[in-house]
Amino acid sequence: MAETLRLSGPLTALAAREQLERGAAALARSGVDFDLAAVREVDSAGLAVVLGWVRAGQRSGHPVRIVAAPPSLRSLAELYGVTELLPLA
């Protein structure tokens, strides 16, 4: 069964390392649904965090889902041509 991590606030360079580590630790235990409904800002570092979660999930064999991705994440993913790599729910 997947764990749900609810994030809030900005997913930007200032919080990137902490959020990447938090997600990777959860993925070591189980699959994770990352609920981003309360995330109000995402920059390119935030996109890198999400892609890091995907890689951590692949390494651990646990599924990753991105729930309620904010428009800023979607537009950055489109800009960088990585939308197909995101497991958007």
Side-chain angles (χ1 to χ4, degrees):
M1 179 162 198
E3 178 179 343
T4 299
L5 284 181
R6 289 177 177 82
L7 284 76
S8 62
L11 185 54
T12 61
L14 292 176
R17 178 180 288 280
E18 177 185 338
Q19 295 298 357
L20 179 61
E21 291 172 356
R22 180 179 175 209
L27 283 161
R29 298 185 300 269
S30 68
V32 178
D33 291 345
F34 292 93
D35 184 345
L36 306 183
V39 171
R40 60 181 188 267
E41 179 185 356
V42 179
D43 65 9
S44 58
L47 175 60
V49 166
V50 173
L51 292 171
W53 293 335
V54 171
R55 285 190 301 275
Q58 291 168 340
R59 281 193 306 269
S60 68
H62 295 124
V64 173
R65 284 190 338 147
I66 306 302
V67 179
S72 55
L73 176 63
R74 291 176 184 271
S75 65
L76 280 171
E78 187 175 320
L79 176 68
Y80 290 115
V82 296
T83 304
E84 70 281 351
L85 300 177
L86 300 181
L88 301 173

